[in-house]
Amino acid sequence: MPELPEVETVARDLQAKIAGSVIEAVEVSKADVLRVVGPRVLARRTTGATILRSWRRAKLVILDLSTQDRLVVSLRFTGSLLVDDGSLTDEDRRYSTVRWRLEDGRTLHYREVRRLGTVTLMTPRQFDAYVGQLGVEPLEPAFTPALLYELLRSSRQAVKKRIMDQRAVVGVGNIYANEALWRA
């Protein structure tokens, strides 16, 4: 499963490639990856919108739209966001579940082989409520040894489980938890 560093890379790559792009059309071939809104509402609310920014929060890729809505993508185990300028192979397109055709002729694909990941369109209020439940970012100045001590001390969970709990510390998954605890 992509963890904080991998998701950060995806968000930065998307920022460089699609920020400022206008969504011309939306096609959903596998609606089971959608949350909160269905295919029709997703198409209606994102068509004509400009992608203002791509960024990361926790293990989520977030696309800020000019409509104030946010596309929130959880890649989970096999999800990916691919920008297609016509050079993607048929195999790359095979598992494309959601496609945003951009005005410049490119397509942003949400590709999900196992369909465990999700695409959620949120209003600012929904987004604030959702991220309000998330824990501290481990790369932020607020994440100090003292804060980590308090997070661990205030819970009866095992250390690994606690640092993987996204309500406590975001972005840490099994691989990074194992590596951090091995080093500790």
Side-chain angles (χ1 to χ4, degrees), residues 2 8 13 15 17 21 23 32 34 36 46 64 70 80 85 94 125 131 137 141 146 155 173:
E8 180 70 26
D13 286 351
Q15 174 66 20
K17 291 178 181 178
S21 297
I23 299 169
D32 59 344
L34 300 179
V36 180
T46 61
D64 289 345
R70 287 188 165 130
S80 59
D85 61 2
R94 180 176 174 199
R125 187 176 184 179
V131 298
E137 289 275 348
S155 174

Side-chain angles (χ1 to χ4, degrees), residues 45-176:
R45 286 178 45 195
T46 61
T47 299
T50 300
I51 300 168
L52 301 176
R53 177 172 78 128
S54 171
W55 57 290
R56 179 200 58 78
R57 172 74 168 104
K59 296 186 210 178
L60 306 168
V61 175
I62 299 142
L63 300 177
D64 289 345
L65 304 178
S66 59
T67 59
Q68 305 303 311
D69 283 333
R70 287 188 165 130
L71 280 166
V72 179
V73 180
S74 174
L75 300 173
R76 301 276 166 93
F77 291 97
T78 58
S80 59
L81 287 161
L82 305 172
V83 179
D84 184 7
D85 61 2
S87 61
L88 284 183
T89 66
D90 289 341
E91 182 63 24
D92 288 335
R93 290 187 188 108
R94 180 176 174 199
Y95 295 103
S96 178
T97 60
V98 182
R99 289 163 295 289
W100 293 271
R101 193 171 63 238
L102 306 176
E103 262 186 0
D104 63 8
R106 296 178 302 159
T107 302
L108 173 63
H109 294 267
Y110 175 62
R111 181 179 186 266
E112 178 54 281
V113 175
R114 293 171 61 195
R115 297 210 306 272
L116 298 171
T118 59
V119 174
T120 308
L121 183 66
M122 295 185 190
T123 65
R125 187 176 184 179
Q126 289 169 322
F127 181 78
D128 290 344
Y130 182 75
V131 298
Q133 298 173 29
L134 297 175
V136 64
E137 289 275 348
L139 302 179
E140 295 294 319
F143 189 74
T144 62
L147 177 62
L148 178 59
Y149 174 76
E150 283 305 314
L151 288 170
L152 295 173
R153 194 174 83 112
S154 66
S155 174
R156 295 180 59 100
Q157 288 179 314
V159 173
K160 180 180 176 186
K161 189 170 182 176
R162 183 65 173 162
I163 64 175
M164 289 176 55
D165 182 344
Q166 300 301 294
R167 294 167 300 174
V169 179
V170 300
V172 179
N174 191 50
I175 294 168
Y176 287 100

